[in-house]
Amino acid sequence: MDAFTAGILQRIENTESDLHRAREAGDVFTMDVEQAELDDLRRLAAEHGVHVG
């Protein structure tokens, strides 16, 4: 696994965790921000052929 792939997968994992915490806290603003970030990261991964499980 190259550095880009490892980095993007780690960022996705971190963002998913942040999103989960925001949902548990009922923080709608942070949920929106984290979901947008997650969507961007998944799009970027797909554009570069990185499979996100």
Side-chain angles (χ1 to χ4, degrees):
M1 179 180 308
D2 62 27
F4 175 80
T5 300
I8 197 82
L9 292 174
Q10 184 62 52
R11 287 181 63 195
I12 289 170
E13 183 179 322
N14 293 345
T15 303
E16 288 173 336
S17 294
D18 293 344
L19 177 57
H20 180 73
R21 281 192 297 277
R23 283 184 179 144
E24 286 182 336
D27 184 345
V28 176
F29 175 76
T30 302
M31 286 171 32
D32 288 345
V33 170
E34 296 301 338
Q35 185 62 60
E37 177 72 9
L38 188 56
D39 292 345
D40 287 344
L41 289 169
R42 287 180 175 160
R43 178 191 49 76
L44 184 62
E47 287 175 359
H48 290 274
V50 176
H51 175 71
V52 178

